[in-house]
Amino acid sequence: MNDTILKSITRIIVPFIQVYGVFIILHGHLSPGGGFSGGALIGTSLILFTLVFGVKKAKVKFSERVAEISGSAGIIIYVLVGIVGLVLAGSFLTNIEAGFPAGVAGTLMSAGMIPIIMIGIGIKVASTMITLFHTLVEEEVR
Amino acid sequence: MDIINAILIIILVICAIAVERTKDLVSAIIIFSAYSLFMSVVWLLLKSPDVALTEAAIGAGVTSILFFAVISKTERFEK
């Protein structure tokens, strides 16, 4: 698409969408939302970028290699934190009993490992969304 | 509040029937995303803002974009 208004508005609005997604991910244990919703928002901002600027420029910003690494890293964070709970307290994803700091309820640094696995889920969902869209768009018509 | 709930659910049923009966697939996708938006309002009234947020982002945004991408590969009208 070759529209100046569209490109300018997209350049302005994409960082705001991404900051909102990061906010929802980091406040997953305090307010509605969490890893899945915030990751979907970040993925949607990258889809908007792809729609306006084309697949080639979006591949420069978020290549397949980065998508592979970040998607795997997200799920590895989740599994490793779960295994820490398994080793220290005897069941998968054990939170406070396994020694994660509880913090003061209602503040950002609280709830033990929940923010860590929320970050992992957010990275995974965002990279999956953008990989789905890129694969679907650039597949050739037979 | 019950009246608002009833109106929203009637709109949902109408949207669902319209999606099934429309021959133009682009119009069907637009009606489907409207369905998702009304569904997210219903989730909000059912005191589940978490699901409402996800429904508005996934149902109305990503799903319709993926459907549009598929339709651009195939045909617009149902035979």
Side-chain angles (χ1 to χ4, degrees), chain B residues 6-66:
Chain B
I7 292 172
L8 282 174
I9 287 173
I10 289 170
I11 292 175
L12 279 182
V13 172
I14 291 172
C15 282
I17 294 173
V19 167
E20 187 263 330
R21 297 191 67 86
T22 313
K23 294 291 180 192
D24 186 359
L25 293 178
V26 175
S27 316
I29 293 171
I30 300 294
I31 299 169
F32 189 62
S33 73
Y35 172 90
S36 288
L37 278 180
F38 281 112
M39 194 69 214
S40 84
V41 177
V42 172
W43 286 123
L44 201 61
L45 290 179
L46 292 175
K47 292 182 180 146
S48 168
D50 194 357
V51 186
L53 194 66
T54 311
E55 176 84 34
I58 303 286
V62 179
T63 311
S64 17
I65 285 176
L66 288 179

Side-chain angles (χ1 to χ4, degrees), chain A residues 33 36-37 129 133 136-137 139, chain B residues 49-50 53-54 58 62 65 73:
Chain A
F36 190 80
S37 317
M129 288 281 163
F133 187 66
L136 205 57
V137 163
E139 191 178 330
Chain B
D50 194 357
L53 194 66
T54 311
I58 303 286
V62 179
I65 285 176
K73 304 285 181 195

